[in-house]
Amino acid sequence: AQTVTQSQPEMSVQEAETVTLSCTYDTSESDYYLFWYKQPPSRQMILVIRQEAYKQQNATENRFSVNFQKAAKSFSLKISDSQLGDAAMYFCAYRGINTGNTPLVFGKGTRLSVIA
Amino acid sequence: ETGVTQSPTHLIKTRGQQVTLRCSSQSGHNTVSWYQQALGQGPQFIFQYYREEENGRGNFPPRFSGLQFPNYSSELNVNALELDDSALYLCASSRRGQGRETQYFGPGTRLLVL
């Protein structure tokens, strides 16, 4: 079974600085998706960024980018120019690609605080 | 806003009762997945519905059941509630067949079992 590990329960960053959240996963599949979701106190799980495993290029969405290391099974999220609104729980998630009913497998999350 | 809605937002029940949670999927989506998120944990997959049939299930007992309707909305039913069922219940909708199949989440229903 696939597992996702987030080793940092809590992180903090100064406003306008850069922070990196770590994620590792375990799978025997060769094709899959990886995601970072953000969950603010309002509880809505919001998609931040997505990476297809077959793509070597790291995904980027505005201030958010990933460092995807397939051989190391590592998928970290970098947030640049941090803003107060970035404060939230961040979840790394894995999803197999081969069948339509493959669920998301989540890590336990990292709570990010942004200091003004 | 993802276009996925859930009701109610909060619910308090007592042990042994039954509860029904509802989810309306995003327009154009045909698949609904349900997740349970205990306090301080990541979401855990309960089951998924596609074309009105259960299409995958996580490690949850049969007292967790669901439905999907022709308009792709869905219900999660939990019978014989236990204290450990207290959690945030999230539904996520997606469009199977488009290849990308990203799941978009609703705001969740917070269930408290006393």
Side-chain angles (χ1 to χ4, degrees):
Chain A
Q2 294 81 17
T3 59
V4 176
T5 302
Q6 293 179 250
S7 60
Q8 305 153 316
E10 297 184 357
M11 293 282 285
S12 62
V13 61
Q14 291 284 139
E15 199 175 3
E17 297 296 310
T18 296
V19 65
T20 298
L21 307 184
S22 300
C23 173
T24 58
Y25 58 94
D26 188 27
T27 184
S28 59
E29 297 178 315
S30 59
D31 287 329
Y32 45 87
Y33 301 123
L34 294 165
F35 304 85
W36 280 97
Y37 281 91
K38 168 186 177 182
Q39 188 177 42
S42 65
R43 309 178 325 202
Q44 182 107 35
M45 193 78 77
I46 301 165
L47 178 66
V48 174
I49 200 165
R50 161 198 169 110
Q51 175 81 41
E52 288 92 343
Y54 66 88
K55 291 186 177 179
Q56 292 188 342
Q57 186 173 5
N58 289 325
T60 299
E61 290 286 343
N62 301 314
R63 299 182 294 107
F64 299 88
S65 61
V66 299
N67 183 5
F68 173 49
Q69 301 290 329
K70 190 173 184 180
K73 296 181 181 175
S74 171
F75 183 60
S76 61
L77 174 69
K78 185 172 81 172
I79 306 174
S80 303
D81 185 25
S82 296
Q83 300 174 0
L84 294 178
D86 295 333
M89 283 292 291
Y90 285 81
F91 291 96
C92 178
Y94 169 101
R95 183 179 179 282
I97 202 169
N98 291 323
T99 59
N101 64 350
T102 308
L104 287 167
V105 178
F106 286 88
K108 290 189 175 182
T110 296
R111 181 175 301 281
L112 178 66
S113 301
V114 181
I115 303 165
Chain B
E1 292 294 325
T2 62
V4 181
T5 61
Q6 291 186 245
S7 63
T9 56
H10 295 84
L11 204 52
I12 300 175
K13 292 285 188 178
T14 56
R15 269 188 309 175
Q17 285 189 311
Q18 179 267 341
V19 68
T20 297
L21 310 181
R22 295 177 176 82
C23 172
S24 292
S25 59
Q26 185 170 310
S27 178
H29 285 184
N30 55 16
T31 302
V32 174
S33 303
W34 287 92
Y35 295 83
Q36 180 195 65
Q37 186 178 14
L39 199 61
Q41 300 294 315
Q44 297 288 317
F45 175 67
I46 302 175
F47 46 54
Q48 184 181 88
Y49 276 82
Y50 172 63
R51 291 186 175 178
E52 303 179 49
E53 292 189 357
E54 187 179 293
N55 189 236
R57 189 178 185 93
N59 190 26
F60 280 82
R63 59 188 186 85
F64 285 78
S65 63
L67 287 171
Q68 186 180 32
F69 300 99
N71 66 354
Y72 305 120
S73 66
S74 178
E75 288 183 354
L76 164 65
N77 299 291
V78 187
N79 293 321
L81 284 167
E82 302 177 359
L83 296 180
D84 285 349
D85 295 333
S86 295
L88 178 67
Y89 288 84
L90 298 166
C91 80
S93 75
S94 57
R95 174 77 180 175
R96 185 174 300 186
Q98 282 189 334
R100 293 183 66 82
E101 297 184 36
T102 294
Q103 294 186 13
Y104 294 91
F105 285 82
T109 294
R110 175 76 67 190
L111 173 65
L112 177 61
V113 182
L114 301 176

